[in-house]
Amino acid sequence: MNMKKSRVVVLGSTGSIGVNTLDVIERHPDRFEVFALTASTSVDTILAQCARHRPAYAVMASEAHGKQLFQSCVAQGLCTQVLWGADALAMVAAHELADIVMAAIVGAAGLAPCLAAARSGKRLLLANKEALVVGGQLFMDTVAAGGATLLPIDSEHSAVFQSLPPDPCDWAARIDKIILTASGGPFRNRDPLTLRDVTPEEACAHPNWIMGRKISVDSATMMNKALEVIEAKFLFGVAPAQIQVVIHPQSVIHSMVQYVDNSVVAQLGTPDMRGPIAYGLSWPERVCSGAAALDFSTMSALNFEAIDSEANKRRFPGIDLAWAALAAPQGTTAVLNAANEVAVAAFLERRIRYDQIHHINVDTLSTVRPEAPGSLDDLLGLDMLSRRAAESAVSRLGA
Ligand code: NAD
Ligand code: MG
């Protein structure tokens, strides 16, 4: 029997998650085909992807890059239709011929196409955690109203999802805690007093995962874990106090669920994003992902450390901002996300020091007071306002 192939839109196809997604898709030509690819500036990479996967559409963020890609596609005789801009991005994400949308754009820039996919009832694979942190309850309500299927790709949330009962109606009554694991990143053992000297190169050198630069810096500061706590709250509908973080340097246990009987269910695997990507693509089935198997005969130990030791509080001051933002008025998580995006970009451009990322985040949270955002426009307005406040904090601190 011939199975209908699922048509996949990969938003952010030139990034780390995008490339891994295409790798998994390529392993299953009988199940998946690429319908659309999108990127910001990497024309050469997306051109090569178009030549290989022959998508119906390719979308660039700007007109300049779009025209460049268009000319290259024509020169190579490719039939891919090249478009550009925000409307085109939302159009491919909501296209009636698309079945699955992989949300792998980095940052709040991915929110609008995520909501477009959600409204059109797609299977939405969410790597782009910032979109959910910004969108919050509005994001989840849009998924429900559109009849979309939202599946987590972040390894921790995929692990939690894999450790939960299949019916979400059972979650609230059975779960005691969600325990997110954190590797501790490159500065797990670093003297907190020396963090002011950290360079972008050091911050981007993650010990276990190869990722884009923004999430690599977030992993070093643990703002990534803060964003993931917020992500878990919205995805799984638990109270913020039910979410706990533990340091687990080997990144073998990807996260755990503790039930009301104190039984803990964990998901394990090698640190390779193709695992959660393959699970999202094939759920509720499982297909080969390309990730290596764990070798228990050579694994000497699985270690755990408290996140809230005195030294870790000084190393990773940003993690508590997750619970603070969740306790504050609705929209505060969007303020935190915008501040952090601006601060990380400023650090990568060497305009501020590493330890000032946290100062920018705290400063912006104390300046911007959100009024319950009720629409995408409200969220984008709040995002813009928060970015301006964070930029002004960068100018004051970074001088
Ligand atoms: P990346 O920087 O490697 O790739 C980002 C992609 O988004 C690129 O294709 C880029 O062209 C596109 N993009 C960037 N800015 C854009 C804009 N303004 N408009 C349109 N497109 C834009 O990032 P990544 O590491 O692949 O991460 C992508 C997302 O997945 C992030 O939200 C990250 O937090 C999340 N995530 C990544 C990993 C990982 O292992 N890399 C793991 C878990 C979650
Ligand atoms: Mg993660």
Side-chain angles (χ1 to χ4, degrees), residues 129 154-157 215 224-225 228:
K129 68 193 84 186
D154 217 346
S155 57
E156 295 77 1
H157 305 74
I215 184 175
N224 182 50
K225 215 47 60 178
E228 289 182 355

Side-chain angles (χ1 to χ4, degrees), residues 64-135:
H65 292 106
K67 287 191 166 159
Q68 215 180 317
L69 178 64
F70 171 74
Q71 280 158 6
S72 305
C73 282
V74 170
Q76 293 200 12
L78 297 174
C79 299
T80 298
Q81 194 175 337
V82 178
L83 305 169
W84 51 83
D87 289 349
L89 206 55
M91 185 280 283
V92 293
H95 200 290
E96 60 177 0
L97 294 179
D99 304 300
I100 303 179
V101 175
M102 165 57 82
I105 289 175
V106 59
L111 175 63
C114 275
L115 292 183
R119 258 183 242 114
S120 322
K122 304 299 180 202
R123 172 181 290 211
L124 178 56
L125 308 185
L126 187 74
N128 183 195
K129 68 193 84 186
E130 297 92 345
L132 182 52
V133 170
V134 174

Side-chain angles (χ1 to χ4, degrees), residues 18-106:
V19 167
N20 277 310
T21 303
L22 292 176
D23 180 286
V24 176
I25 288 175
E26 233 178 306
R27 290 166 192 272
H28 304 283
D30 53 325
R31 282 178 174 260
F32 307 112
E33 65 187 12
V34 177
F35 180 69
L37 298 174
T38 87
S40 172
T41 54
S42 311
V43 173
D44 291 348
T45 309
I46 199 169
L47 177 66
Q49 291 177 338
C50 288
R52 198 168 175 98
H53 297 279
R54 309 273 162 167
Y57 294 97
V59 182
M60 298 303 291
S62 74
E63 181 174 347
H65 292 106
K67 287 191 166 159
Q68 215 180 317
L69 178 64
F70 171 74
Q71 280 158 6
S72 305
C73 282
V74 170
Q76 293 200 12
L78 297 174
C79 299
T80 298
Q81 194 175 337
V82 178
L83 305 169
W84 51 83
D87 289 349
L89 206 55
M91 185 280 283
V92 293
H95 200 290
E96 60 177 0
L97 294 179
D99 304 300
I100 303 179
V101 175
M102 165 57 82
I105 289 175
V106 59

Side-chain angles (χ1 to χ4, degrees), residues 172 175-178 229 232-234 236-244 323 326:
I175 304 174
D176 178 33
K177 263 184 214 158
I178 284 177
V229 167
K233 188 252 174 273
F234 288 114
F236 305 117
V238 293
Q242 287 178 289
I243 306 169
Q244 192 181 318
W323 287 275
L326 286 171

